[in-house]
Amino acid sequence: MMKYDVIVIGGGPAGMAAALKAYEKGCEKVLIIERDKRLGGILNQCIHHGFGLQTFKEELTGPTYAQRYIDRVNDTTIEVFLNTMVLDINCEKIVTLLSPKLGKLEICGETIIFAMGCRERTREAITIPGNRCAGIYTAGTAQYLLNVEACLPGKDVIILGSGDIGLIMARRLTLEGANVKAVFEVMDRPGGLNRNIAQCLDDYGIPLYLNHTVTNIIGDKRISAIEVAEVDRNRRPIAGTEKYYECDTLLLSVGLIPEVELLRKIGIQLDKTTKGPVINDKMETSVEGFYACGNVAYVHDLVDIVTIEGEIAGHNAAKYVNKELDNTSNVKVGNGNLISMVVPQIITNKDTILRYRVSKFIKKAKLKILDAQGNEKYTKNVVNLTPAEMHHLSLNLDTSFTESIILSLEEI
Amino acid sequence: MIKKMICIVCPNGCSMEVEKINNEVFVRGNLCPRGKEYAINELISPRRNIASTVKVKNGVIKVVPVYTAEKIGKEKIFTAMEIIRNLEVEAPVLMDEIVYSDDYLILKASCNVERRK
């Protein structure tokens, strides 16, 4: 059986960063397994600008950011299996894979790095009633069809969800001649960046309706109209506010979920708040020698952070292979008041960065670290925190005296 | 008259208030000087970067993503899209290679496209 020091599952920005770092730190046998016919991951279809401001000090398109890493991988002896799907993986780190070139094969890694990214929530996941007709796509699928397969998904489009993917597709479809009639958002604030509201909607006169959702889908073989209604503060549709919009396409931009099916098989501990695995600041999961980085760990906003964390995973996988194990204390991190999620969930190193999301828009608050007894160990004033972005806190903790901490917000 | 605008230069997306008094432009709400520059240009002549895809002949993928090397006037966006629609390039294509150039529009490839075997 072929043996590797590090097997990376997924060749997007997370997997490539992890593989490159492991290689740089002395691992000789590094393998990236990628299901697509090329490396790059989701960046291959994100043809717009906005990537790499932190990493490269300039804003690149997605494919350019990916190409820079692909070029580096090609300059190493890192092996790459393309068109290859991982079917199974077990606790002994035996990976079963399938590809036209290799057939069905079992290989073994001393360490495994998960970098499979995430998938999109579907119409079924949010249970929109009505006809199950053609013409309903998740925004990412529509982006793939348009930017990779050169296929226009539809001509009269409605978009549900004002996260960045929905906004970017509103612009992209308009540029290609489609009529994007409206974007509906169930919350009272847009889900994506302000600048995307400006350059994707305002620039093209596309209206955004907050506090609205799609309540019915009408069509026969293909969608022909949607019913929308206003929602109340609990996001329930208000009777009597229904309106109808004719369309031949509905795009859904309603959330991303880490692709953790392979992790479940190994019994890796998952976190309900992130939908990804519980990870520590080494990007290691609850099972030794298994690491996770990129969107499979938790859903990211910036590819620059994906790259940083991929490198952390790769570096620590290399340390494990080289038997350079650090000693470690494990401090659990929990999410407290107004914090919907915080990563990593376990800290082993006293110099660490916590990344978190808030559960509602907060103008002014005290960000606090509380210990297990509820004592304030640290506090800092923060302003203008939005749920749409991840925020971070650099910490220097005295880990030997703390068993667990809670990150919490008190509004002022 | 105070005009409200959102700066698109970086992910901060500062909400700004812009006022032109006599021949001077006053900007409030920007966290950096690039915001003021953006606001002034937006009043005089709004320009944008766009990204699209161009057909590739004999490549391993059907289309290559392209981007505008320099911002173009907002009013020229759909003319640019028409040019892009009629373009075709031959593989191999290299990242940042110029795939089209005229007085108003310079398009570069976003990534490599290998030639199909």
Side-chain angles (χ1 to χ4, degrees):
Chain A
M1 190 186 294
M2 275 145 73
K3 289 201 161 84
Y4 292 87
D5 296 325
V6 184
I7 296 179
V8 181
I9 308 179
M16 289 194 286
L20 284 167
K21 188 54 87 175
Y23 178 85
E24 188 195 312
K25 292 296 178 186
C27 291
E28 285 173 5
K29 299 220 68 187
V30 180
L31 169 68
I32 300 175
I33 306 176
E34 168 54 51
R35 70 183 176 186
D36 203 347
K37 59 185 178 190
R38 52 184 172 150
L39 295 173
I42 204 70
L43 291 176
N44 289 334
Q45 64 186 63
C46 298
I47 67 169
H48 50 280
H49 287 93
F51 303 90
L53 192 56
Q54 286 182 33
T55 311
F56 297 108
K57 307 287 184 273
E58 46 174 332
E59 280 204 320
L60 306 172
T61 64
T64 302
Y65 191 100
Q67 187 70 64
R68 293 193 180 187
Y69 283 88
I70 295 170
D71 288 347
R72 283 177 58 192
V73 169
N74 288 338
D75 264 345
T76 67
T77 56
I78 295 173
E79 274 181 71
V80 180
F81 292 169
L82 296 172
N83 297 305
T84 303
M85 194 73 175
V86 171
L87 297 181
D88 196 22
I89 176 162
N90 66 18
C91 298
E92 280 79 53
K93 303 195 189 88
I94 295 177
V95 175
T96 307
L97 50 86
L98 188 71
S99 84
K101 204 163 145 188
L102 305 164
K104 189 176 172 193
L105 189 62
E106 280 186 355
I107 60 175
C108 186
E110 202 171 334
T111 56
I112 307 283
I113 303 182
F114 295 111
M116 297 89 76
C118 61
R119 63 172 114 103
E120 301 177 275
R121 287 177 87 214
T122 59
R123 180 252 178 110
E124 291 73 16
I126 58 172
T127 56
I128 305 179
N131 200 289
R132 283 175 296 175
C133 38
I136 303 166
Y137 303 95
T138 52
T141 300
Q143 187 182 56
Y144 172 81
L145 287 171
L146 185 38
N147 295 337
V148 179
E149 296 295 341
C151 162
L152 188 67
K155 297 250 167 71
D156 290 297
V157 185
I158 297 278
I159 299 179
L160 175 61
S162 64
D164 288 318
I165 307 176
L167 300 177
I168 292 289
M169 281 312 291
R171 173 176 62 183
R172 183 77 187 101
L173 287 164
T174 304
L175 287 178
E176 290 293 353
N179 173 22
V180 178
K181 293 182 156 184
V183 178
F184 294 100
E185 167 57 54
V186 73
M187 303 299 237
D188 61 353
R189 281 172 202 270
L193 296 172
N194 262 352
R195 72 158 170 178
N196 283 332
I197 302 289
Q199 62 189 357
C200 299
L201 301 188
D202 298 341
D203 269 4
Y204 301 96
I206 300 170
L208 169 64
Y209 298 104
L210 300 173
N211 298 305
H212 277 74
T213 196
V214 174
T215 47
N216 206 357
I217 288 176
I218 296 129
D220 184 15
K221 294 196 169 134
R222 178 124 191 160
I223 186 172
S224 57
I226 51 146
E227 177 190 86
V228 282
E230 233 180 286
V231 297
D232 62 24
R233 289 157 133 252
N234 296 312
R235 307 207 294 270
R236 304 230 100 107
I238 300 170
T241 63
E242 296 87 5
K243 288 201 169 74
Y244 294 86
Y245 284 78
E246 284 181 4
C247 61
D248 63 16
T249 308
L250 173 64
L251 251 52
L252 303 172
S253 171
V254 294
L256 298 173
I257 317 169
E259 184 61 81
V260 295
E261 293 315 304
L262 285 177
L263 283 74
R264 283 187 209 279
K265 292 172 182 243
I266 302 166
I268 286 175
Q269 200 189 347
L270 299 178
D271 180 342
K272 287 198 184 74
T273 65
T274 60
K275 305 280 188 287
V278 169
I279 47 171
N280 64 19
D281 47 11
K282 298 184 166 77
M283 306 306 290
E284 195 173 24
T285 68
S286 60
V287 180
E288 209 186 85
F290 287 91
Y291 299 81
C293 56
N295 278 344
V296 77
Y298 66 93
V299 176
H300 289 66
D301 293 333
L302 294 179
V303 70
D304 306 283
I305 309 299
V306 167
T307 295
I308 290 171
E309 292 174 352
E311 290 175 350
I312 292 174
H315 190 174
N316 283 289
K319 280 179 153 178
Y320 184 97
V321 168
N322 295 329
K323 309 226 186 320
E324 290 160 29
L325 302 165
D326 310 279
N327 88 317
T328 71
S329 35
N330 283 325
V331 177
K332 287 207 172 102
V333 183
N335 56 313
N337 191 41
L338 295 178
I339 305 275
S340 58
M341 59 159 268
V342 55
V343 286
Q345 295 91 334
I346 296 178
I347 301 176
T348 66
N349 184 349
K350 66 185 179 98
D351 268 313
T352 206
I353 297 181
L354 293 181
R355 299 188 195 274
Y356 62 96
R357 245 186 236 282
V358 296
S359 51
K360 67 174 184 115
F361 187 79
I362 288 163
K363 248 188 131 100
K364 217 173 163 195
K366 277 197 194 336
L367 182 65
K368 300 184 196 176
I369 302 264
L370 309 171
D371 69 12
Q373 285 74 43
N375 305 316
E376 261 180 44
K377 302 216 70 167
Y378 175 90
T379 177
K380 176 183 169 185
N381 284 339
V382 286
V383 293
N384 292 336
L385 299 182
T386 155
E389 286 166 43
M390 288 207 75
H391 305 281
H392 67 274
L393 175 67
S394 292
L395 271 193
N396 190 306
L397 272 192
D398 191 353
T399 47
S400 52
F401 290 104
T402 336
E403 221 179 70
S404 70
I405 57 172
I406 302 242
L407 185 70
S408 160
L409 277 170
E410 186 195 316
E411 260 185 302
I412 35 180
Chain B
M1 209 189 74
I2 297 183
K3 188 166 184 205
K4 287 193 177 187
M5 64 170 76
I6 294 173
C7 180
I8 63 171
V9 177
C10 90
N12 281 333
C14 297
S15 293
M16 303 188 296
E17 284 182 352
V18 185
E19 203 175 356
K20 193 168 178 195
I21 300 176
N22 298 328
N23 272 329
E24 230 193 304
V25 178
F26 295 90
V27 181
R28 267 181 302 280
N30 52 315
L31 281 177
C32 86
R34 293 195 297 167
K36 176 163 184 181
E37 199 190 318
Y38 172 80
I40 295 172
N41 286 325
E42 198 65 5
L43 284 184
I44 304 172
S45 166
R47 298 168 79 75
R48 296 286 184 269
N49 274 318
I50 59 167
S52 184
T53 54
V54 164
K55 279 194 293 268
V56 180
K57 242 170 135 181
N58 299 314
V60 293
I61 48 177
K62 293 179 191 173
V63 285
V64 60
V66 297
Y67 64 95
T68 46
E70 281 158 21
K71 291 190 158 76
I72 59 176
K74 239 172 120 171
E75 71 290 348
K76 297 211 164 57
I77 289 178
F78 287 97
T79 315
M81 284 305 299
E82 194 53 35
I83 292 173
I84 290 172
R85 234 190 293 290
N86 293 316
L87 272 183
E88 192 168 13
V89 294
E90 179 94 32
V93 182
L94 286 180
M95 173 172 67
D96 293 331
E97 179 187 307
I98 295 178
V99 298
Y100 178 87
S101 176
D102 71 22
D103 287 341
Y104 301 100
L105 180 67
I106 302 175
L107 293 169
K108 289 188 174 178
S110 299
C111 63
N112 297 349
V113 179
E114 284 164 38
R115 198 167 174 90
R116 196 180 14 204
K117 288 182 178 116

